[in-house]
Amino acid sequence: MNGKFNLSEWALRHKSLVWYFMILSTVAGIMAYFNLGREEDPEFTIKTMLIQAQWPGASVDEMTSQVTDRIEKKLQELESLDYTKSINAPGQATIYVNLLENTKAADVSPTWVKVRNMINDIVPNLPQGVVGPFFIDSFGDVYGNIYAFTADGLTQRQLRDYLEAARTEILAVPDVGKVDLIGAQDEVIYLEFSTRRMAALGITQQQIVETLQNQNAVVASGTLRTASESISMRVSGQFSTEDDLRKVNLRVNDRFFRLSDVATITRGYVDPQQALFRVNGEPAIGLAIGMKPGSNLLEFGEALSEKMEKVTASLPIGIGVHHVADQAVVVDEAVGGFTKALFEAIAIVLVVSFISLGARAGLVVALSIPLVLAITFVAMEYLGISLQRISLGALIIALGLLVDDAMIAIEMMVSKLEQGEPLSKAAIAVWTSTAFPMLTGTLVTVASFIPVGLNDSAAGEFTFSLFVVIAVALIVSWIVAVLFAPVLGVLILPAKMERHHEQKGRVAQMFSRILAACMHRPKMTVAATFGVFLLSVYGMGFVQQQFFPASDRPELIVDWTGRQNSTLAQTKADMDEFEAAYLANDDSIDHWTSYVGQGAKRFVLSFDVQPSAPYFGQMVIVTKSIEAREALKEKLMAVAADGYPGTDILVKEMELGPPVGRPIQYRVSGPDPEKVREYATGLAAVIGTEPRLGRIVFDWMEPARTVKVDVLQDKARLLGVSSSDIATALNNMAGGSAMTQLRDSIYLVNVVGRAPGDERQSVETLRNLQLPGGDGQSVPLASIATFSYGMEQPVIWRRDRSPTITLKAAITDATQPATIDAALKGKVETYAADLSAGYHVAVGGSVESSGKSQAPIAAVVPLMLLTMTTILMFQLQSFQRLFMVVIVAPLGLIGVVAALLPSGAPLGFVAILGVLALIGILIRNSVILVVEIDTLQRNGRHAWDAVREATEHRMRPIMLTAAAASLALIPIASEIFWGPMAFAMMGGIVVGTVLTLLFLPALYLIWFRIKEPSATA
């Protein structure tokens, strides 16, 4: 950059314009900061879609082979499909469509449209009677605000009426998204028929259904048109209350019966109950409220709170309102904490600058920092990046790096002033002497984050803003250093400065002695460095691996899974007992909510949503502090281990990043479900040898009882009874069937016919079930069928069209999943090798998710290295110097291991990103040092003296940058999420800095065979 154009000189000649841009940037940055959205965590796309289908009356095997398999087979034609997972139960199936990790977020929605079209194409090929398929492509919707409404003295219907009115008002709030009710029970009118009495009277349920439907039908009755007006005609008869049903007359075989004479008519709620919602142990109905994408969460939270105050004020006494999930408050607190850490980091960097550079030079650096941050905030607003955990962490990481350019620029000006150069000429030297090496170092550092920017996995999308914010901040820092810093330096620095280089300080003298010792023994220095590097490679094997750490939120999640043939009533009773015993009187709990028969709504994007089932429940416990959460977790885990045999109770914290569930998982797959069960049991025995694991559970395993009705077909046909008649009668007796609907206000109330309780709750009553025969006589079921008990799977999970059992286990100590997996790897592989052909074992859980997220990083690393080497070659234009600059980067592993091992911090996904960033940081310092050595040699210095002088001259700015970069990480070093990355970077920066100043000079001497002048004279 020694051509005619000099950006620093141009800035000095246009000071007013530059000052204008500085003021404009500052004002725009302040405005952008307040306009930036606030989030707790960045958004990422859930690449999962649900397809549901029903086939009433089908067994699990029929559902699997005739419906699920056809859908999954078609889905395998999807190019971006990763895998399918399905849950098959009698008469129903849910299929999870999971896209490849590297599917771009923008391609997800078009892919769901393609899936709909593909499956709709095969609908004609599905068996007759299949209902659906239905598509749920909003699996990733977040309901950040959840209100629970309890009622004292009101019925469920009355409470729901108030909530429906409240829902209507809430939908008018600006930027509101979906608003769903949780735990509301649908009303039903039951017609309970005695099968014996109906058979005796010769009445069939089908005759009653036809009568009710014909009277209740809404049919066009025409319009009279006179010369002046149109008059609509309305025919009465539709049902509006259960009393209307009681008055219905039935005509059967020329005889009339009141419906109330042959059926008991009652109004109630769905039986068995639908999924329930409870707050602090009390029955409740919830309102789950989402926000439109891209809206300002804090503004939406304020508007929603105002609306809810009005809604609450209009409710009658007896209705309690509980705000059980408030994302706006959580985000406000989280962003406040992150912002505090950012300002602490700024303060640390400023202190380092003032102490090391002095008041005036430090002030120039201090003014450069807010300028860089202001312009970065403007870029963030333009790019749609909010203030959240990742972007604020990126700013903290960038702080220590962005001051480097300003420090180098001011160091150069101070150096020129000490040499007697005028102030203006010293400012111009910022461009001629350091601009290009600084730009090279900046671009190399940005290039080291390319694997983050080009990682399309969910984890990569989660951390994408790290790449953008750091890239923008570093590039802006270079612009500020060569454009704004010279103008600030001319204003603030003195016109002349005394020479200080003749009298070195104690630190500089100590460094000179150490440098001289390394330069006089270069081979020993290089050998010792490589020896320590090899030792660190060995030590890396003792550093635990991690995907994402647990969240620092106060919630504790309890997943409750009973036997798979358990009823919802049994699940509720067990959960009620658990809550009364261990939650109700615990002072460390602020509040808790319970979901029975379903999982909690996704109140934060990283929440692991579970499929609904009668045997499943979930509790979301909000504790008063992190310490309280950990203490409660220990207590509940002890209860879960011994207190509820036959029930799987998982106590866990919230997850950061893409959800995983239990960290240790192994899948056993194969064509035959029975053999899969057998092999899964054997694998459980193998995994159970690991003492650091908790109880091993299966996502499905145990069979359930069935009653098989074998129809004597010839006899049944002789009596005029078909298998369809028997199945319909059994269904009507046990569960009931909808006969018509009653239109009540905004609700549709099903009218369901079923047997009385004493008949439908006993298996023995099946034998006495009376069926209408062909001649009008009643036929007992026992006369045309035999009964036997059998066993079948109530649920079968499949993955990629194969029955798959997943074995899951939690870890009982601080060991990371990758460590457990490594310890079990040999045993699992030995066991898997002995399985029959077609059966296999796969690793799941945290280890699999980590591998999927790191694979895109590994795929992009070659591009990162190519970009970095290309940038370096433009600067160095020498293969030898390129080698020397690059060789320092991997040696930073010494510091990484030295920091992680003593601290016990794991090397997680985010820490790996920090290690990649280290490569750019170390190469940056090496480039500037090598360029300065070459410059001194071109100016006539002897090669030995050039190495020594350049290293001593670069010592202070390199050390200052290292101090600023490492100390700036202190505010986030104690955080669960950023801690491992902070330790890795601090260790790597400190050790890498030492290697740059000691190892690189020694290597330079060896590589170019440079001898000390006195030795060659």
Side-chain angles (χ1 to χ4, degrees):
M1 293 238 174
N2 293 321
K4 294 182 180 180
F5 180 74
N6 185 314
L7 187 58
S8 300
E9 183 181 8
W10 180 90
L12 293 176
R13 287 191 281 107
H14 301 83
K15 290 182 183 177
S16 297
L17 181 60
V18 173
W19 274 106
Y20 168 77
F21 281 122
M22 281 194 279
I23 295 171
L24 180 64
S25 299
T26 303
V27 174
I30 293 172
M31 294 175 63
Y33 173 78
F34 289 105
N35 288 334
L36 287 174
R38 267 69 170 171
E39 296 178 288
E40 181 183 13
D41 291 310
E43 294 184 356
F44 58 90
T45 305
I46 303 292
K47 301 171 185 177
T48 302
M49 180 186 197
L50 270 62
I51 301 176
Q52 295 179 330
Q54 298 173 0
W55 189 13
S59 66
V60 173
D61 291 338
E62 290 171 332
M63 198 73 205
T64 301
S65 60
Q66 297 299 324
V67 179
T68 305
D69 193 66
R70 295 174 193 266
I71 294 174
E72 289 181 323
K73 190 183 296 183
K74 187 64 177 179
L75 289 171
Q76 288 183 325
E77 300 175 9
L78 191 67
E79 301 88 346
S80 55
L81 178 70
D82 185 8
Y83 66 93
T84 59
K85 181 178 71 173
S86 62
I87 308 172
N88 300 275
Q92 58 185 5
T94 300
I95 302 165
Y96 290 76
V97 186
N98 296 279
L99 302 183
L100 291 167
E101 284 284 326
N102 60 1
T103 304
K104 296 184 182 298
D107 295 336
V108 172
S109 292
T111 302
W112 298 150
V113 175
K114 187 174 183 179
V115 168
R116 288 172 180 267
N117 294 334
M118 291 172 62
I119 302 305
N120 285 331
D121 287 342
I122 67 167
V123 168
N125 299 328
L126 296 178
Q128 187 176 4
V130 170
V131 181
F134 307 103
F135 304 91
I136 303 175
D137 54 9
S138 56
F139 187 62
D141 286 353
V142 177
Y143 298 86
N145 286 273
I146 299 177
Y147 289 86
F149 293 77
T150 57
D152 183 8
L154 279 78
T155 65
Q156 170 89 196
R157 166 63 186 272
Q158 289 171 326
L159 178 60
R160 184 172 181 177
D161 286 341
Y162 285 112
L163 261 68
E164 290 288 358
R167 180 185 186 186
T168 302
E169 292 193 44
I170 291 169
L171 285 169
V173 175
D175 297 324
V176 72
K178 293 183 177 180
V179 182
D180 290 348
L181 265 66
I182 313 173
Q185 303 295 302
D186 291 331
E187 282 191 297
V188 177
I189 295 176
Y190 286 110
L191 307 184
E192 295 189 344
F193 301 95
S194 170
T195 56
R196 299 186 189 92
R197 188 172 184 187
M198 288 181 61
L201 294 173
I203 302 173
T204 66
Q205 190 161 319
Q206 183 59 36
Q207 291 171 320
I208 298 175
V209 170
E210 290 176 358
T211 300
L212 295 179
Q213 289 180 346
N214 289 335
Q215 180 173 335
N216 197 40
V218 176
V219 181
S221 49
T223 303
L224 289 176
R225 293 178 176 85
T226 66
S228 60
E229 63 178 324
S230 296
I231 303 173
S232 297
M233 294 182 288
R234 297 285 180 259
V235 178
S236 66
Q238 289 81 23
F239 307 130
S240 58
T241 67
E242 58 269 33
D243 288 334
D244 294 337
L245 290 169
R246 293 190 179 98
K247 298 174 185 176
V248 171
N249 285 317
L250 305 173
R251 180 181 178 184
V252 180
N253 299 327
D254 293 327
R255 290 184 298 170
F256 284 88
F257 301 94
R258 281 268 185 184
L259 181 58
S260 57
D261 293 337
V262 296
T264 302
I265 303 173
T266 58
R267 185 166 185 151
Y269 299 97
V270 173
D271 179 24
Q273 289 179 305
Q274 296 167 301
L276 301 172
F277 177 63
R278 301 169 67 80
V279 59
N280 297 330
E282 294 183 59
I285 300 179
L287 272 181
I289 304 167
M291 183 185 73
K292 290 180 180 177
S295 304
N296 187 307
L297 182 61
L298 297 184
E299 292 179 0
F300 172 73
E302 291 178 3
L304 180 61
S305 295
E306 291 179 7
K307 176 64 70 174
M308 285 304 301
E309 287 180 6
K310 296 178 181 178
V311 169
T312 303
S314 65
L315 296 176
I317 296 174
I319 295 182
V321 181
H322 313 266
H323 201 173
V324 296
D326 189 350
Q327 194 175 21
V329 171
V330 173
V331 167
D332 193 33
E333 293 175 354
V335 171
F338 300 150
T339 306
K340 178 184 176 184
L342 174 62
F343 286 122
E344 288 174 353
I346 293 173
I348 290 172
V349 171
L350 292 180
V351 169
V352 171
S353 301
F354 280 113
I355 292 177
S356 58
L357 298 175
R360 293 197 174 192
L363 182 59
V364 177
V365 174
L367 292 175
S368 299
I369 293 174
L371 278 171
V372 174
L373 291 178
I375 299 174
T376 303
F377 287 142
V378 174
M380 288 173 63
E381 183 181 17
Y382 176 76
L383 296 172
I385 297 175
S386 60
L387 291 177
Q388 26 80 357
R389 186 190 308 272
I390 302 298
S391 60
L392 285 166
L395 288 172
I396 294 172
I397 295 168
L399 268 180
L401 307 179
L402 63 85
V403 297
D404 191 17
D405 288 335
M407 284 183 172
I408 292 172
I410 298 307
E411 271 284 328
M412 178 56 64
M413 292 182 65
V414 170
S415 176
K416 294 296 183 182
L417 288 174
E418 289 179 345
Q419 294 173 14
E421 302 250 355
L423 187 57
S424 59
K425 196 169 183 180
I428 293 173
V430 171
W431 178 265
T432 56
S433 301
T434 62
F436 200 11
M438 282 196 308
L439 179 60
T440 301
T442 296
L443 294 178
V444 166
T445 305
V446 171
S448 67
F449 286 92
I450 285 178
V452 185
L454 298 183
N455 187 345
D456 290 320
S457 70
E461 194 177 347
F462 185 78
T463 55
F464 176 74
S465 56
L466 184 75
F467 165 72
V468 176
V469 172
I470 289 180
V472 170
L474 293 184
I475 293 172
V476 169
S477 73
W478 180 83
I479 297 172
V480 169
V482 298
L483 184 65
F484 294 162
V487 175
L488 293 171
V490 169
L491 176 68
I492 296 173
L493 293 178
K496 295 181 180 180
M497 297 187 73
E498 297 180 5
R499 296 172 180 265
H500 295 288
H501 63 279
E502 294 178 355
Q503 294 183 348
K504 298 177 181 178
R506 282 180 293 181
V507 175
Q509 291 176 10
M510 183 183 301
F511 173 75
S512 296
R513 288 195 293 270
I514 297 174
L515 176 63
C518 292
M519 291 179 65
H520 284 104
R521 300 174 182 81
K523 293 182 180 179
M524 184 182 297
T525 301
V526 172
T529 302
F530 278 116
V532 177
F533 174 72
L534 293 175
L535 186 63
S536 69
V537 172
Y538 173 74
M540 192 66 186
F542 297 94
V543 176
Q544 295 199 76
Q545 309 296 306
Q546 186 186 58
F547 182 39
F548 278 98
S551 173
D552 52 3
R553 292 173 62 118
E555 286 95 349
L556 198 63
I557 310 299
V558 179
D559 288 352
W560 187 283
T561 308
R563 296 183 305 276
Q564 290 177 335
N565 63 344
S566 295
T567 63
L568 187 140
Q570 182 62 50
T571 304
K572 174 182 176 297
D574 291 342
M575 292 178 64
D576 286 347
E577 178 187 336
F578 179 87
E579 292 174 5
Y582 303 107
L583 303 184
N585 299 313
D586 195 320
D587 294 334
S588 66
I589 297 174
D590 184 77
H591 66 270
W592 82 89
T593 51
S594 308
Y595 300 77
V596 186
Q598 64 178 342
K601 289 284 187 179
R602 193 188 298 273
F603 58 91
V604 64
L605 187 58
S606 59
F607 184 71
D608 189 15
V609 177
Q610 300 297 317
S612 299
Y615 55 83
F616 178 78
Q618 196 167 56
M619 307 170 203
V620 180
I621 306 168
V622 181
T623 60
K624 295 179 179 178
S625 66
I626 300 298
E627 294 75 19
R629 183 194 73 181
E630 292 304 307
L632 181 63
K633 180 184 176 183
E634 291 297 322
K635 182 180 82 171
L636 297 185
M637 286 179 66
V639 174
D642 305 316
Y644 290 84
T647 301
D648 170 30
I649 304 175
L650 173 61
V651 184
K652 61 182 181 180
E653 305 97 339
M654 294 283 292
E655 296 180 72
L656 283 174
V660 174
R662 273 187 171 91
I664 299 298
Q665 297 182 18
Y666 293 92
R667 294 189 298 272
V668 181
S669 300
D672 182 9
E674 291 304 316
K675 293 196 75 172
V676 171
R677 290 178 60 222
E678 177 186 339
Y679 288 141
T681 303
L683 181 60
V686 173
I687 299 172
T689 60
E690 173 53 60
R692 292 169 289 186
L693 292 181
R695 187 156 62 101
I696 299 169
V697 299
F698 308 88
D699 55 358
W700 64 276
M701 170 63 79
E702 58 191 47
R705 290 194 303 166
T706 61
V707 175
K708 188 173 182 181
V709 182
D710 290 316
V711 180
L712 305 174
Q713 295 293 344
D714 291 341
K715 192 172 183 180
R717 194 168 292 111
L718 181 64
L719 295 173
V721 180
S722 67
S723 294
S724 176
D725 295 333
I726 296 172
T728 301
L730 290 172
N731 181 62
N732 292 338
M733 183 200 74
S737 59
M739 307 173 75
T740 185
Q741 287 181 323
L742 186 149
R743 292 171 286 278
D744 182 2
S745 182
I746 62 173
Y747 308 106
L748 286 174
V749 181
N750 284 333
V751 178
V752 175
R754 66 179 183 180
D758 58 342
E759 293 187 19
R760 68 175 184 269
Q761 294 176 356
S762 172
V763 176
E764 294 304 319
T765 60
L766 294 179
R767 299 179 180 275
N768 300 320
L769 178 64
Q770 300 294 312
L771 303 169
D775 58 357
Q777 299 297 316
S778 60
V779 178
L781 180 56
S783 66
I784 56 173
T786 60
F787 303 88
S788 61
Y789 285 102
M791 301 291 286
E792 70 175 31
Q793 288 295 333
V795 177
I796 292 180
W797 290 58
R798 290 168 32 122
R799 184 183 174 99
D800 288 332
R801 299 178 58 203
S802 293
T804 302
I805 293 180
T806 302
L807 291 76
K808 306 176 183 180
I811 301 173
T812 56
D813 59 15
T815 308
Q816 294 298 324
T819 305
I820 300 287
D821 177 68
L824 289 171
K825 187 174 182 180
K827 296 178 182 179
V828 172
E829 289 179 348
T830 301
Y831 180 81
D834 296 332
L835 301 184
S836 302
Y839 296 84
H840 60 273
V841 175
V843 179
S846 179
V847 174
E848 181 185 41
S849 297
S850 179
K852 285 185 176 181
S853 297
Q854 292 177 20
I857 292 180
V860 179
V861 166
L863 175 62
M864 176 195 78
L865 297 176
L866 176 63
T867 304
M868 294 172 72
T869 53
T870 303
I871 294 171
L872 291 172
M873 280 301 291
F874 270 106
Q875 172 65 54
L876 301 173
Q877 300 189 25
S878 166
F879 284 103
Q880 298 183 80
R881 287 169 175 78
L882 175 65
F883 168 76
M884 278 188 297
V885 166
V886 172
I887 197 66
V888 175
L891 299 180
L893 183 67
I894 300 172
V896 173
V897 175
L900 293 182
L901 274 180
S903 66
L907 185 67
F909 181 82
V910 179
I912 290 174
L913 303 182
V915 172
L916 291 175
L918 274 176
I919 296 174
I921 296 170
L922 299 181
I923 289 178
R924 173 194 181 99
N925 288 334
S926 301
V927 166
I928 296 176
L929 178 57
V930 169
V931 169
E932 186 150 352
I933 292 174
D934 293 342
T935 302
L936 290 176
Q937 288 187 75
R938 286 196 300 270
N939 291 338
R941 293 284 199 284
H942 186 276
W944 178 280
D945 294 331
V947 172
R948 179 181 53 81
E949 290 181 22
T951 305
E952 290 180 346
H953 182 257
R954 291 301 308 153
M955 185 272 292
R956 186 165 75 160
I958 288 177
M959 292 291 287
L960 292 181
T961 302
S966 56
L967 294 176
L969 295 170
I970 289 178
I972 59 174
S974 59
E975 290 196 10
I976 295 174
F977 184 81
W978 290 109
M981 182 181 192
F983 280 112
M985 290 190 69
M986 285 191 286
I989 290 171
V990 171
V991 173
T993 299
V994 174
L995 292 176
T996 302
L997 296 174
L998 299 178
F999 167 79
L1000 186 57
L1003 181 63
Y1004 196 99
L1005 296 178
I1006 295 174
W1007 192 266
F1008 291 104
R1009 299 182 178 85
I1010 298 172
K1011 303 295 182 183
E1012 193 173 2
S1014 58
T1016 58

